[in-house]
Amino acid sequence: MAFDSGLAVLVLGVAVWTIAARDTFAAVVGFVAYGLLLALAWVRLAAPDVALTEAAIGSGVTGGLLIGASTRLRRTETAAAGEEPGPTLRLAAAVLCVLVSAGLAAIVLMLPEPAPTLAPQAAANIAATGLGNPVTAVLMAYRAIDTLLETVVLLLALVGVWSLAPDRVWGGFPGPRHHADPDGVLTFIAQLLVPLGILVGIHIFWVGSVAPGGEFQGATILAAMWILAMMAGLVDAPPVSRRWLRLLLIAGPAVFFAIGLAGFAMAGAFLAYPVEYAKLLIVTIEIPVTLSIAATLALLVAGPPERAPHR
Amino acid sequence: MSEATLYGLCGAVLVGLGLFGLIVHPQPLRKILAFNLIGGGVFLLFGVVARRGAAAGFGGDPVPHALIITGIVVAFAATALAIALLLRLFQETGRATLGSDG
Amino acid sequence: MPNSATAGGFLLVLAIVLPVSGVLLSLVLGGRHAERIALILMPAGLAVALAIAAAVWRTHNVLQYFVGNWNPPLGVAFRADGLSAAMMLTAALLICGIGLFARGQFPSPQQAELRAPLVFWTLLLAVWGALNAVFIGGDLFNLYVALELLTFAAVPLVSLDGRVETLAAALRYLLFALLGSILYLLGAVLLYGAYGTLDIALLSGRINAGPIAWAAISLMTAGLLAKAALYPFHLWLPPAHAGAPAPASAILSGLVVKAPFFLAIRLWFDIMPRMPERTAAQVLGILGAAAILVGSVVALRQVRLKLLIAYSTVAQIGYLFLMFPLAIKPEMGHPWNTTAWTGGVLQAISHAFAKAAMFMAAGLIAEALGHDRIAGLSGIGRALPITVFAFALGGVSLMGLPPSGGFVAKAMLLTAAVAEGQWWWAVVILAGGLLAGGYVFLVLARALADASQPLTLLSPISPSRQAVVVALALCAVLLGFVPLRPLELLQIGRPDIAIGG
């Protein structure tokens, strides 16, 4: 209990730092710390799958994106300071936010006892899915349509990011070219870490069917390794017009849809699995989905094309 | 007070903090940070609901856990799109503000 | 409401699968084929929407489907009632019209893939898929994912031109939309915490008036209002809708902005009926009235045509929210006011057609003149008579003049306001009609005036594009031949219906 109180206070403290810090870069660093502390809170709340996702995506990849952005925007800091709202607006906002927080806190204390839950139903049906991890069962079986639409959401975000490229570099390479420095530290670390990270990512994806883990967490680690390789100059980002890249990106949602539609014939409904093959089908979906999500996440961090394609 | 309720109160404060940051900061990058803070608070509240629903041998209700994971991924995608827009705006104009905003 | 899957549920799945498959195919086959893929899927999607409407009409019942054969609350349900069918049909017709119009603006490149056509056609299909997911979603979290899909598809359409002003407008739109989504999600979290389900049908049976339910509804409604740009959350809309290319503006004002309104209906009319919602609904009505008045007045002061049309959207959205205080029952068990219900939905549908036509007409005018300043429109009536005629037809619906869908919708809302004794809304509706007349005539007077020198058009405007614009405007007018009675299709699936006055 004391540990939880300390952790909660720490989380709030870092959150206050993120909002109140004058310098944006400091706020972003605070945000990354906040994400890692939050992951710890998830462990305390008996949610290891969420903790992995929060650490990997919420803190890791998001943090990387924010740090990159705040570095590039450093010169605009002083200009923006002139547009700060006056004290009356700040006071009104503070009052509103205190009321919102107080209201939510009151509601937390008013939540019904015993708490309504779907855990018994999830447990009762998990045998039909062949899985051992109930969170994976929810993601890939009970509410597979949400996961399916979510892969499309990710893809659309990437289309949106790519759409911001100037016309003349369309189809080209995202981001600047990083050159590998053969004596540099980053290159050394990358050469060491990337193969290891890929193995870890595959492992975390694979055990997700019976233990905490799964496609999102595994995909994020794979994406992080690709990002690391690109930043260290080991590989260059692929041009966005390459057919193989496009296939890689849509493979996950496409296989998901295909198996979902096959469910009409095999089990009588969209995204239904026949019991004997349920686990096999789910894994068949998960492999391309993991690869597609990894590619999408990495390219979302890489950004829109900036260098024209070779022609 | 159980640990779940404690984290629930923490989540409630995070939502208010994030909302304050969203309203008060003029820079879009700070607004994006604040939005992520609100998201973290909302997910934490959902996680508290899940913890209170522990039953049938699970440490928590797995349905909210799955939905939180989906939410974290969607929030990242939103952040990526917002930052791409912001950086492009900066490239074109040299400024990183929205002008008159709400 | 059936308690198991009904026949025809497969159509609901198809309504989402078809457009999304188009998105995936377009990305992999490349920008040279994206237009063709869209053109093939448009009639297919229209056929699916017609089939769904026919099935709903024939069975006089809600079409229900449990995805994966998992029943709620564990699984996710799709449901299509009369309202869903009507909205899906509207969306299908509009997407087809906008797609045909956009062929002239985003043609397929011959050699290498180009950015704008690939992005446009992909996002057009994505918007369509997302809208269908919103219209048939029966689960609050599934609807959250659908809303995010819609936002990510719509925001890049605003900045498609690549102009600097549109980048800021797109970013502001995205930030407002994200705030709206997270507030919506917070409300859904509270509902799950209190009632253990996110399924709309199950929630309607379990919900009761209490602090948690009220807090959840307030948060979700606030989030949806921000996404629907209802006053006072309207500031993001005019620059975003005016800055987008014309076909994108048509989608944004015609369809995208109706989705959060549709979800507010689901919330207030499907989930909340066991709660005393009458007084709370007055707040929505007040905000709607403010939107009508503020939006129309600001529209009158606009210098640019597209901004005028965008502020008109802000105003017309206000009419939609007048439906809430008028159609919600006074206390539990009292029959609903179905006239107001029909009026509100007809307003959404006829505004979609009229506004799409007006934005596309403005787009053609801007292409012809090279600018869209209202003061410089003189002579365009002579140069592009069909286009200006389409604009006028759309304006007729906006003003609420007969015959038009707008007239029927506003007449029904007026009738309901008077019959319910809420005459103050009647005053607002009439004032809004007058103000709309003001800004429509402002434009038409300029357009029909003679130019001081003969007008030379910058580029020829194809007659087929003008024909599409007129066709859509005519749809808004044809809706005026709907009889001035509650529409039976829209009542299918609504419990406790009685024909009211």
Side-chain angles (χ1 to χ4, degrees), chain A residues 231-277:
Chain A
M231 279 174 39
L234 296 179
V235 297
D236 191 11
V240 304
S241 52
R242 284 279 177 273
R243 183 67 58 95
W244 68 262
L245 180 64
R246 302 276 180 96
L247 271 169
L248 179 61
L249 289 170
I250 70 147
V255 170
F256 212 155
F257 267 112
I259 292 189
L261 287 169
F264 273 117
M266 293 191 297
F270 183 61
L271 284 176
Y273 310 116
V275 179
E276 318 83 63
Y277 301 114

Short mmCIF file of all heavy atoms in Angstrom, two decimals, chain A residues 231-277:
data_model
loop_
_atom_site.label_atom_id
_atom_site.label_comp_id
_atom_site.label_asym_id
_atom_site.label_seq_id
_atom_site.Cartn_x
_atom_site.Cartn_y
_atom_site.Cartn_z
N MET A 231 18.06 4.81 -37.75
CA MET A 231 18.73 5.98 -37.17
C MET A 231 20.23 5.78 -37.11
O MET A 231 20.99 6.73 -37.20
CB MET A 231 18.18 6.26 -35.77
CG MET A 231 16.88 7.01 -35.83
SD MET A 231 16.10 7.21 -34.23
CE MET A 231 17.47 7.52 -33.18
N ALA A 232 20.65 4.52 -36.93
CA ALA A 232 22.08 4.26 -36.87
C ALA A 232 22.68 4.14 -38.25
O ALA A 232 23.89 3.97 -38.40
CB ALA A 232 22.33 2.98 -36.07
N GLY A 233 21.84 4.22 -39.26
CA GLY A 233 22.37 4.18 -40.62
C GLY A 233 22.62 2.78 -41.14
O GLY A 233 23.22 2.62 -42.20
N LEU A 234 22.18 1.76 -40.40
CA LEU A 234 22.43 0.39 -40.87
C LEU A 234 21.60 0.10 -42.11
O LEU A 234 22.03 -0.61 -43.01
CB LEU A 234 22.09 -0.61 -39.77
CG LEU A 234 22.95 -0.53 -38.50
CD1 LEU A 234 22.48 -1.56 -37.50
CD2 LEU A 234 24.41 -0.73 -38.85
N VAL A 235 20.35 0.61 -42.12
CA VAL A 235 19.51 0.47 -43.31
C VAL A 235 18.91 1.83 -43.60
O VAL A 235 18.85 2.70 -42.73
CB VAL A 235 18.37 -0.55 -43.11
CG1 VAL A 235 18.92 -1.91 -42.85
CG2 VAL A 235 17.45 -0.10 -42.02
N ASP A 236 18.46 2.02 -44.83
CA ASP A 236 17.76 3.24 -45.17
C ASP A 236 16.26 2.95 -45.17
O ASP A 236 15.84 1.84 -45.45
CB ASP A 236 18.19 3.75 -46.53
CG ASP A 236 17.68 5.15 -46.81
OD1 ASP A 236 17.17 5.79 -45.86
OD2 ASP A 236 17.78 5.60 -47.95
N ALA A 237 15.47 3.98 -44.87
CA ALA A 237 14.03 3.81 -44.93
C ALA A 237 13.63 3.51 -46.37
O ALA A 237 14.19 4.08 -47.30
CB ALA A 237 13.34 5.09 -44.48
N PRO A 238 12.69 2.59 -46.59
CA PRO A 238 12.33 2.25 -47.96
C PRO A 238 11.48 3.35 -48.59
O PRO A 238 10.74 4.04 -47.88
CB PRO A 238 11.51 0.97 -47.81
CG PRO A 238 10.96 1.06 -46.44
CD PRO A 238 11.94 1.81 -45.60
N PRO A 239 11.56 3.55 -49.90
CA PRO A 239 10.69 4.51 -50.56
C PRO A 239 9.25 4.05 -50.43
O PRO A 239 8.97 2.84 -50.50
CB PRO A 239 11.13 4.49 -52.02
CG PRO A 239 12.31 3.61 -52.10
CD PRO A 239 12.43 2.85 -50.84
N VAL A 240 8.34 5.01 -50.22
CA VAL A 240 6.97 4.61 -49.89
C VAL A 240 6.21 4.06 -51.08
O VAL A 240 5.10 3.57 -50.93
CB VAL A 240 6.18 5.78 -49.26
CG1 VAL A 240 6.89 6.31 -48.06
CG2 VAL A 240 5.94 6.88 -50.26
N SER A 241 6.78 4.14 -52.28
CA SER A 241 6.07 3.62 -53.43
C SER A 241 6.42 2.17 -53.74
O SER A 241 5.85 1.58 -54.64
CB SER A 241 6.36 4.49 -54.66
OG SER A 241 7.76 4.61 -54.80
N ARG A 242 7.31 1.60 -52.99
CA ARG A 242 7.72 0.22 -53.26
C ARG A 242 6.56 -0.74 -53.04
O ARG A 242 5.89 -0.69 -52.03
CB ARG A 242 8.87 -0.21 -52.34
CG ARG A 242 10.21 0.35 -52.73
CD ARG A 242 10.87 -0.44 -53.85
NE ARG A 242 12.12 0.19 -54.23
CZ ARG A 242 12.21 1.16 -55.13
NH1 ARG A 242 11.14 1.59 -55.74
NH2 ARG A 242 13.38 1.69 -55.42
N ARG A 243 6.38 -1.65 -54.01
CA ARG A 243 5.27 -2.58 -53.94
C ARG A 243 5.39 -3.49 -52.72
O ARG A 243 4.41 -3.78 -52.04
CB ARG A 243 5.24 -3.42 -55.23
CG ARG A 243 4.08 -4.39 -55.32
CD ARG A 243 2.74 -3.68 -55.44
NE ARG A 243 2.64 -2.80 -56.58
CZ ARG A 243 2.12 -3.15 -57.74
NH1 ARG A 243 1.69 -4.38 -57.94
NH2 ARG A 243 2.04 -2.28 -58.72
N TRP A 244 6.63 -3.94 -52.40
CA TRP A 244 6.77 -4.89 -51.29
C TRP A 244 6.40 -4.23 -49.98
O TRP A 244 5.84 -4.89 -49.08
CB TRP A 244 8.18 -5.49 -51.24
CG TRP A 244 9.28 -4.53 -50.87
CD1 TRP A 244 10.12 -3.90 -51.74
CD2 TRP A 244 9.65 -4.08 -49.56
NE1 TRP A 244 11.00 -3.11 -51.07
CE2 TRP A 244 10.74 -3.18 -49.71
CE3 TRP A 244 9.20 -4.34 -48.28
CZ2 TRP A 244 11.36 -2.56 -48.65
CZ3 TRP A 244 9.81 -3.71 -47.20
CH2 TRP A 244 10.87 -2.83 -47.39
N LEU A 245 6.71 -2.92 -49.86
CA LEU A 245 6.36 -2.22 -48.63
C LEU A 245 4.85 -2.12 -48.48
O LEU A 245 4.30 -2.36 -47.41
CB LEU A 245 6.99 -0.82 -48.63
CG LEU A 245 6.70 0.01 -47.40
CD1 LEU A 245 7.30 -0.64 -46.18
CD2 LEU A 245 7.22 1.43 -47.55
N ARG A 246 4.18 -1.78 -49.59
CA ARG A 246 2.73 -1.69 -49.53
C ARG A 246 2.11 -3.04 -49.17
O ARG A 246 1.18 -3.12 -48.37
CB ARG A 246 2.18 -1.22 -50.89
CG ARG A 246 2.74 0.11 -51.36
CD ARG A 246 1.97 1.25 -50.75
NE ARG A 246 2.47 2.53 -51.17
CZ ARG A 246 1.95 3.23 -52.17
NH1 ARG A 246 0.93 2.77 -52.85
NH2 ARG A 246 2.48 4.41 -52.49
N LEU A 247 2.64 -4.10 -49.76
CA LEU A 247 2.11 -5.43 -49.44
C LEU A 247 2.32 -5.75 -47.98
O LEU A 247 1.43 -6.29 -47.31
CB LEU A 247 2.82 -6.48 -50.31
CG LEU A 247 2.16 -6.75 -51.65
CD1 LEU A 247 3.06 -7.58 -52.54
CD2 LEU A 247 0.84 -7.47 -51.44
N LEU A 248 3.50 -5.41 -47.46
CA LEU A 248 3.78 -5.66 -46.05
C LEU A 248 2.79 -4.92 -45.17
O LEU A 248 2.29 -5.46 -44.18
CB LEU A 248 5.21 -5.22 -45.74
CG LEU A 248 5.70 -5.38 -44.30
CD1 LEU A 248 5.67 -6.84 -43.91
CD2 LEU A 248 7.10 -4.82 -44.15
N LEU A 249 2.47 -3.68 -45.55
CA LEU A 249 1.59 -2.87 -44.72
C LEU A 249 0.16 -3.41 -44.71
O LEU A 249 -0.51 -3.36 -43.69
CB LEU A 249 1.58 -1.42 -45.21
CG LEU A 249 2.86 -0.64 -44.95
CD1 LEU A 249 2.81 0.68 -45.70
CD2 LEU A 249 3.04 -0.39 -43.48
N ILE A 250 -0.33 -3.88 -45.85
CA ILE A 250 -1.73 -4.32 -45.87
C ILE A 250 -1.89 -5.80 -45.56
O ILE A 250 -3.02 -6.27 -45.40
CB ILE A 250 -2.40 -4.03 -47.21
CG1 ILE A 250 -1.82 -4.94 -48.29
CG2 ILE A 250 -2.29 -2.58 -47.60
CD1 ILE A 250 -2.85 -5.30 -49.31
N ALA A 251 -0.78 -6.54 -45.47
CA ALA A 251 -0.90 -7.99 -45.30
C ALA A 251 -1.71 -8.33 -44.05
O ALA A 251 -2.59 -9.20 -44.10
CB ALA A 251 0.50 -8.61 -45.21
N GLY A 252 -1.44 -7.64 -42.95
CA GLY A 252 -2.15 -7.95 -41.71
C GLY A 252 -3.65 -7.77 -41.86
O GLY A 252 -4.42 -8.72 -41.68
N PRO A 253 -4.11 -6.53 -42.15
CA PRO A 253 -5.55 -6.36 -42.30
C PRO A 253 -6.15 -7.26 -43.37
O PRO A 253 -7.25 -7.79 -43.20
CB PRO A 253 -5.69 -4.88 -42.69
CG PRO A 253 -4.44 -4.23 -42.32
CD PRO A 253 -3.39 -5.26 -42.27
N ALA A 254 -5.41 -7.48 -44.47
CA ALA A 254 -5.98 -8.30 -45.55
C ALA A 254 -6.21 -9.74 -45.10
O ALA A 254 -7.29 -10.30 -45.32
CB ALA A 254 -5.05 -8.27 -46.77
N VAL A 255 -5.22 -10.32 -44.43
CA VAL A 255 -5.39 -11.71 -43.95
C VAL A 255 -6.49 -11.76 -42.89
O VAL A 255 -7.30 -12.69 -42.86
CB VAL A 255 -4.05 -12.24 -43.39
CG1 VAL A 255 -4.25 -13.55 -42.67
CG2 VAL A 255 -3.04 -12.40 -44.51
N PHE A 256 -6.54 -10.75 -42.04
CA PHE A 256 -7.57 -10.67 -41.01
C PHE A 256 -8.95 -10.69 -41.66
O PHE A 256 -9.85 -11.44 -41.30
CB PHE A 256 -7.37 -9.38 -40.21
CG PHE A 256 -7.77 -9.47 -38.76
CD1 PHE A 256 -7.20 -8.61 -37.83
CD2 PHE A 256 -8.71 -10.37 -38.32
CE1 PHE A 256 -7.56 -8.67 -36.49
CE2 PHE A 256 -9.08 -10.44 -36.99
CZ PHE A 256 -8.49 -9.59 -36.07
N PHE A 257 -9.14 -9.83 -42.69
CA PHE A 257 -10.42 -9.79 -43.39
C PHE A 257 -10.72 -11.12 -44.05
O PHE A 257 -11.84 -11.62 -44.00
CB PHE A 257 -10.42 -8.69 -44.46
CG PHE A 257 -10.96 -7.39 -43.96
CD1 PHE A 257 -10.13 -6.30 -43.82
CD2 PHE A 257 -12.30 -7.26 -43.64
CE1 PHE A 257 -10.61 -5.10 -43.35
CE2 PHE A 257 -12.79 -6.05 -43.17
CZ PHE A 257 -11.95 -4.98 -43.01
N ALA A 258 -9.68 -11.70 -44.71
CA ALA A 258 -9.90 -12.93 -45.46
C ALA A 258 -10.37 -14.05 -44.53
O ALA A 258 -11.34 -14.74 -44.82
CB ALA A 258 -8.62 -13.32 -46.20
N ILE A 259 -9.65 -14.22 -43.43
CA ILE A 259 -10.03 -15.29 -42.51
C ILE A 259 -11.39 -14.96 -41.88
O ILE A 259 -12.21 -15.85 -41.63
CB ILE A 259 -8.94 -15.50 -41.46
CG1 ILE A 259 -7.70 -16.05 -42.14
CG2 ILE A 259 -9.42 -16.39 -40.32
CD1 ILE A 259 -6.61 -16.51 -41.23
N GLY A 260 -11.63 -13.67 -41.65
CA GLY A 260 -12.94 -13.29 -41.12
C GLY A 260 -14.06 -13.67 -42.07
O GLY A 260 -15.09 -14.20 -41.65
N LEU A 261 -13.86 -13.38 -43.37
CA LEU A 261 -14.89 -13.72 -44.34
C LEU A 261 -15.01 -15.23 -44.48
O LEU A 261 -16.12 -15.75 -44.64
CB LEU A 261 -14.56 -13.09 -45.71
CG LEU A 261 -14.77 -11.58 -45.76
CD1 LEU A 261 -14.18 -10.99 -47.02
CD2 LEU A 261 -16.26 -11.26 -45.67
N ALA A 262 -13.87 -15.94 -44.39
CA ALA A 262 -13.93 -17.40 -44.46
C ALA A 262 -14.75 -17.94 -43.30
O ALA A 262 -15.32 -19.04 -43.39
CB ALA A 262 -12.52 -17.98 -44.44
N GLY A 263 -14.81 -17.17 -42.22
CA GLY A 263 -15.59 -17.60 -41.07
C GLY A 263 -17.05 -17.84 -41.40
O GLY A 263 -17.73 -18.63 -40.77
N PHE A 264 -17.56 -17.12 -42.45
CA PHE A 264 -18.95 -17.35 -42.88
C PHE A 264 -19.14 -18.81 -43.27
O PHE A 264 -20.14 -19.43 -42.92
CB PHE A 264 -19.27 -16.47 -44.10
CG PHE A 264 -19.76 -15.12 -43.73
CD1 PHE A 264 -19.04 -14.00 -44.08
CD2 PHE A 264 -20.94 -14.95 -43.03
CE1 PHE A 264 -19.48 -12.73 -43.75
CE2 PHE A 264 -21.40 -13.69 -42.70
CZ PHE A 264 -20.66 -12.58 -43.06
N ALA A 265 -18.17 -19.33 -44.04
CA ALA A 265 -18.30 -20.70 -44.52
C ALA A 265 -17.96 -21.70 -43.44
O ALA A 265 -18.57 -22.76 -43.32
CB ALA A 265 -17.39 -20.91 -45.73
N MET A 266 -16.92 -21.36 -42.64
CA MET A 266 -16.40 -22.36 -41.71
C MET A 266 -17.21 -22.43 -40.42
O MET A 266 -17.37 -23.50 -39.84
CB MET A 266 -14.95 -22.04 -41.37
CG MET A 266 -14.01 -22.18 -42.55
SD MET A 266 -12.29 -22.10 -42.00
CE MET A 266 -12.20 -20.45 -41.34
N ALA A 267 -17.67 -21.28 -39.93
CA ALA A 267 -18.29 -21.31 -38.60
C ALA A 267 -19.57 -20.49 -38.54
O ALA A 267 -20.10 -20.26 -37.47
CB ALA A 267 -17.29 -20.79 -37.55
N GLY A 268 -20.05 -20.03 -39.69
CA GLY A 268 -21.37 -19.44 -39.72
C GLY A 268 -21.45 -17.96 -39.45
O GLY A 268 -22.53 -17.41 -39.41
N ALA A 269 -20.33 -17.29 -39.24
CA ALA A 269 -20.43 -15.84 -39.02
C ALA A 269 -19.09 -15.21 -39.34
O ALA A 269 -18.05 -15.86 -39.36
CB ALA A 269 -20.82 -15.54 -37.58
N PHE A 270 -19.13 -13.90 -39.61
CA PHE A 270 -17.92 -13.13 -39.85
C PHE A 270 -17.06 -13.17 -38.60
O PHE A 270 -17.54 -12.93 -37.50
CB PHE A 270 -18.32 -11.69 -40.21
CG PHE A 270 -17.17 -10.80 -40.56
CD1 PHE A 270 -16.36 -11.09 -41.64
CD2 PHE A 270 -16.91 -9.68 -39.81
CE1 PHE A 270 -15.30 -10.27 -41.97
CE2 PHE A 270 -15.86 -8.84 -40.14
CZ PHE A 270 -15.05 -9.14 -41.22
N LEU A 271 -15.78 -13.47 -38.78
CA LEU A 271 -14.82 -13.52 -37.68
C LEU A 271 -15.17 -14.56 -36.64
O LEU A 271 -14.80 -14.46 -35.47
CB LEU A 271 -14.67 -12.15 -37.01
CG LEU A 271 -13.85 -11.14 -37.80
CD1 LEU A 271 -13.84 -9.79 -37.11
CD2 LEU A 271 -12.43 -11.63 -37.96
N ALA A 272 -15.88 -15.61 -37.06
CA ALA A 272 -16.09 -16.75 -36.17
C ALA A 272 -15.07 -17.83 -36.51
O ALA A 272 -14.68 -17.99 -37.66
CB ALA A 272 -17.51 -17.29 -36.33
N TYR A 273 -14.61 -18.55 -35.51
CA TYR A 273 -13.62 -19.60 -35.74
C TYR A 273 -14.22 -20.95 -35.37
O TYR A 273 -14.81 -21.10 -34.29
CB TYR A 273 -12.37 -19.38 -34.88
CG TYR A 273 -11.79 -18.00 -34.95
CD1 TYR A 273 -11.75 -17.20 -33.82
CD2 TYR A 273 -11.26 -17.49 -36.13
CE1 TYR A 273 -11.21 -15.94 -33.85
CE2 TYR A 273 -10.72 -16.22 -36.18
CZ TYR A 273 -10.69 -15.45 -35.04
OH TYR A 273 -10.16 -14.20 -35.09
N PRO A 274 -14.06 -21.96 -36.25
CA PRO A 274 -14.46 -23.31 -35.85
C PRO A 274 -13.55 -23.78 -34.72
O PRO A 274 -12.34 -23.56 -34.74
CB PRO A 274 -14.24 -24.14 -37.12
CG PRO A 274 -13.29 -23.36 -37.95
CD PRO A 274 -13.48 -21.92 -37.61
N VAL A 275 -14.14 -24.44 -33.73
CA VAL A 275 -13.42 -24.68 -32.48
C VAL A 275 -12.13 -25.47 -32.68
O VAL A 275 -11.10 -25.21 -32.06
CB VAL A 275 -14.35 -25.41 -31.48
CG1 VAL A 275 -13.62 -25.70 -30.20
CG2 VAL A 275 -15.57 -24.56 -31.20
N GLU A 276 -12.16 -26.43 -33.62
CA GLU A 276 -10.97 -27.28 -33.77
C GLU A 276 -9.79 -26.49 -34.30
O GLU A 276 -8.64 -26.79 -33.98
CB GLU A 276 -11.23 -28.44 -34.75
CG GLU A 276 -12.58 -29.12 -34.62
CD GLU A 276 -13.67 -28.37 -35.34
OE1 GLU A 276 -13.61 -28.24 -36.58
OE2 GLU A 276 -14.59 -27.88 -34.66
N TYR A 277 -10.05 -25.49 -35.14
CA TYR A 277 -8.95 -24.77 -35.75
C TYR A 277 -8.77 -23.37 -35.17
O TYR A 277 -8.02 -22.58 -35.72
CB TYR A 277 -9.18 -24.63 -37.26
CG TYR A 277 -9.32 -25.95 -37.96
CD1 TYR A 277 -10.52 -26.32 -38.55
CD2 TYR A 277 -8.26 -26.82 -38.03
CE1 TYR A 277 -10.65 -27.53 -39.18
CE2 TYR A 277 -8.39 -28.04 -38.67
CZ TYR A 277 -9.58 -28.40 -39.24
OH TYR A 277 -9.71 -29.60 -39.86
#
